[in-house]
Amino acid sequence: MPVPASLPAPAAGQQWSAAAYAANAPFVPALGGAALALLDPRPGERILDLGCGDGVLTARIAAAGAAVTGLEPDPDMAAAARGRGLAVIAADAHDPIPGGPWDAVFSNAALHWMRDPALVLSRVFDALAPGGRLVAEQGGFGNVAAVVTALNAARAARGLAALAPWDFPSPDRARRRLEAAGFEVEELGLHPRPTPLPTGMAGWLATFAAPFLSDLPAAARPALLAAAEGLLGALHEPGTGWVADYVRLRFRARRPR
Ligand code: BEZ
């Protein structure tokens, strides 16, 4: 199966439903505690949550007393976050980030969706106050590798090219990219985190696999997802159920004073 030389432009076909996300992926904010601890939000700090989604984790930053604002381009997710009483800027992180300077920028499970992560890092750098910090968790090297391989095997069986719609950098690559944007990296590491899926592999694929389907007729999509699921038996654990092969990259980096 040929491997694509570079990431294709945006994760084509992905549209969010806040209700489906809450049902199929509640673990995304629920397991955000380690990233929140690394952020260590303080009362009164101006914090931007980049890719805040439905705002479940953002609300925990607000509960710590910080003046937090979400940045979220998806209308359904932004509406869900606003429904929690949160301020949300509807913008794409590839564009200059409004509202700065921010004391901190936080991001959970969003950076791997960016089509140009280096550009986004430079936008974040520019939006931070001198001495401000970027604290983020995202998919790291090897994240959901079995799932991606199964989706690409199902595509290959239909004569379709392999895709790599998400950016899961190794620690070395992530560090180099942060430093190239001007950051001082204070902490950065890879953390394997096998993650039980509350609605099974079918629920995960229904929520996240759209980038692998956009060049298929709608009628052919369920069979591709079923074929991928059929290849993933190694991720089904007796007594537990489906467990995704998540690997998190977590870091704190600072804009120098
Ligand atoms: C993640 O959070 O690691 C992730 C979620 C959906 C698609 C790809 C990665």
Side-chain angles (χ1 to χ4, degrees):
M1 188 186 312
V3 174
S6 61
L7 288 169
Q14 186 67 49
Q15 280 184 327
W16 298 108
S17 150
Y21 198 90
N24 295 327
F27 53 83
V28 175
L31 298 179
L36 268 189
L38 190 59
L39 173 66
D40 190 17
R42 299 295 165 94
E45 279 191 316
R46 298 192 72 240
I47 298 180
L48 182 77
D49 185 355
L50 189 159
C52 70
D54 61 10
V56 171
L57 201 51
T58 324
R60 290 172 63 186
I61 300 174
V68 64
T69 298
L71 185 87
E72 177 54 57
D74 182 81
D76 200 49
M77 289 298 211
R82 290 193 182 106
R84 295 179 202 283
L86 296 163
V88 179
I89 299 170
D92 183 326
H94 294 83
D95 297 326
I97 294 173
W102 302 93
D103 297 316
V105 172
F106 176 76
S107 184
N108 182 52
L111 291 178
H112 47 246
W113 289 96
M114 303 297 156
R115 65 180 183 280
D116 188 344
L119 175 60
V120 170
L121 291 181
S122 74
R123 298 300 193 201
V124 171
F125 186 91
D126 290 344
L128 281 169
R133 62 202 188 280
L134 166 62
V135 174
E137 183 169 309
Q138 64 169 105
F141 190 76
N143 191 47
V144 294
V147 180
V148 170
T149 302
L151 284 163
N152 278 327
R155 286 178 59 83
R158 290 156 178 76
L160 299 168
L163 297 175
W166 304 306
D167 178 53
F168 300 139
S170 68
D172 278 355
R173 191 156 67 87
R175 179 181 290 274
R176 279 199 304 273
R177 207 156 57 186
L178 284 160
E179 288 174 350
F183 287 98
E184 286 171 356
V185 178
E186 295 182 342
E187 190 169 330
L188 186 148
L190 212 51
H191 307 274
R193 194 199 67 196
T195 301
L197 301 177
T199 55
M201 188 52 69
W204 194 96
L205 292 170
T207 306
F208 294 122
F212 290 87
L213 304 176
S214 58
D215 52 357
L216 249 81
R221 295 174 184 179
L224 185 136
L225 296 183
E229 182 175 346
L231 292 167
L232 282 167
L235 293 183
H236 191 271
E237 191 172 46
T240 302
W242 288 99
V243 179
D245 50 339
Y246 274 74
V247 180
R248 312 320 285 166
L249 177 79
R250 196 157 56 239
F251 61 84
R252 184 179 65 230
R254 204 169 287 276
R255 174 176 175 156
R257 287 190 186 280

